Amino acid sequence: MSETVTEWIGQHAHRLTTLDSEAPLTDLLPVADIVRDAHVVAVGASTRQAHELSALSHRLLRLLVEDLGFRSLALEGDDASRLGLDEYIRTGTGDPRMMLSEARSFWQTEETLDVIRWMRSFNRLHPDDPVRFAGAARSPQGGTPLDGLAGIERSLTEGAIQWHEDTADRIVYWGGIAHTVNGNPRTVSPSSPPMTHRNAGSYLREHFGAGYVSFGLTFHHGMAPYQVLPPPPEFADAVLGGAGLDAYLLDLRADGPPHVRTWLDTPAKTRLIGPDYDPTDNAAYHLSGGSLTDWFDAILHTHEVTPARALSYPKSDQ
């Protein structure tokens, strides 16, 4: 079955032609039909440590802002106001590189800095219609304890939901696929025991319905920053990687023959690479508990990845 599914992918995928964040966005234009009237579009990566997936996230953000009217960006798990980044993109005040030194470690990359600088550039050109950061998730009122891991996931959504209610902005939610997929529940491995619970994407889908659109950024193999081996053959990524394309966009809502729809709709495993990875236990690093069509509306797949560029900082005089 995988060969015929792979052939279908090759026939229906839209080839992505560049990773250059400043290049024309022509190859991403099919995204417009996928997002349609979406209120929140999630851009979730299967690893946060790959240059190519970060660069595709930047290009997708550009399209959503420049061509489709999105005006807010939510950085999953961090508060741009605390960092001073919202002030920077509004006024140019401060050094965004140093601001990111206080961010979560997975945002401390040159690729993230490129996005921040692009946002500032956009706002200089559009002072009356700026892009901005969505508010961060709020803590539970009155110190009410969260309902376990599912409660933590729920808290990740609260800032985006409240921001949309307050501003009516269309929001890009930039994070990791463990949080952005529509998972009710989903399982993250290789934690022991594996963690199974509802995630942020499921709460956003519950709140916004079809107004929540989920993009998954997947890859086959490469360096992130350590060597990540090709996925086991039973992983969805192995089939996605068999299409013979360096990078492509695949609309999972597209019509297909019954065996293709069965593959898309059957519970799957897709790779999930965090800050730690053991190549001798390659099969352990995955997301499970749902199908590709449960999780995503579309996939942007890259065959081979290279490391994201860690931010460098001026050396102290001390």
Side-chain angles (χ1 to χ4, degrees), residues 1-258:
M1 179 185 296
S2 62
E3 291 183 355
T4 54
V5 170
T6 300
E7 291 172 356
W8 178 85
I9 292 172
Q11 293 168 1
H12 289 81
H14 298 277
R15 185 187 296 268
L16 302 178
T17 57
T18 181
L19 294 172
D20 184 349
S21 63
E22 298 181 358
L25 299 167
T26 309
D27 56 338
L28 282 174
L29 290 180
V31 165
D33 181 59
I34 298 170
V35 303
R36 291 180 290 181
D37 298 323
H39 301 299
V40 177
V41 168
V43 182
S46 55
T47 179
R48 304 191 194 241
Q49 301 178 85
H51 166 71
E52 288 75 9
L53 303 192
S54 297
L56 283 176
S57 298
H58 186 170
R59 297 190 72 234
L60 186 55
L61 173 65
R62 270 191 59 209
L63 179 81
L64 293 168
V65 170
E66 294 177 2
D67 293 2
L68 301 175
F70 284 72
R71 285 297 179 269
S72 288
L73 172 64
L75 290 180
E76 180 183 83
D78 224 322
D79 181 355
S81 177
R82 174 184 68 84
L83 301 172
L85 291 171
D86 57 340
E87 175 71 14
Y88 171 76
I89 65 168
R90 286 198 311 269
T91 68
T93 301
D95 181 352
R97 180 182 296 271
M98 297 310 298
M99 293 171 187
L100 284 172
S101 70
E102 301 296 325
R104 298 287 294 275
S105 60
F106 47 77
W107 295 126
Q108 294 185 37
T109 67
E110 295 286 348
E111 289 82 358
T112 305
L113 181 60
D114 287 345
V115 169
I116 304 303
R117 287 174 169 163
W118 167 79
M119 294 173 76
R120 174 61 192 145
S121 176
F122 181 91
N123 287 347
R124 282 198 302 267
L125 296 173
H126 304 86
D128 297 325
D129 187 24
V131 64
R132 49 193 177 173
F133 285 104
R138 299 166 297 174
S139 300
Q141 296 298 315
T144 303
L146 292 167
D147 181 19
L149 294 173
I152 294 173
E153 291 286 329
R154 180 67 180 88
S155 73
L156 289 175
T157 74
E158 292 178 352
I161 291 172
Q162 188 63 49
W163 185 261
H164 178 74
E165 291 177 353
D166 292 343
T167 68
D169 274 10
R170 303 178 80 187
I171 300 169
V172 182
Y173 185 99
W174 188 9
I177 62 168
H179 306 292
T180 61
V181 300
N182 174 34
N184 186 18
R186 58 92 176 104
T187 298
V188 175
S189 297
S191 59
S192 182
M195 295 186 294
T196 300
H197 52 275
R198 284 193 70 175
N199 73 336
S202 73
Y203 289 112
L204 289 168
R205 177 60 57 82
E206 180 180 69
H207 183 85
F208 291 105
Y212 177 70
V213 172
S214 170
F215 284 87
L217 277 65
T218 61
F219 75 102
H220 188 265
H221 70 280
M223 300 291 291
Y226 30 69
Q227 183 180 11
V228 179
L229 300 176
E234 68 272 18
F235 278 36
D237 317 73
V239 180
L240 294 168
L245 300 173
D246 291 337
Y248 62 85
L249 167 68
L250 183 66
D251 186 348
L252 300 186
R253 309 165 309 151
D255 292 333

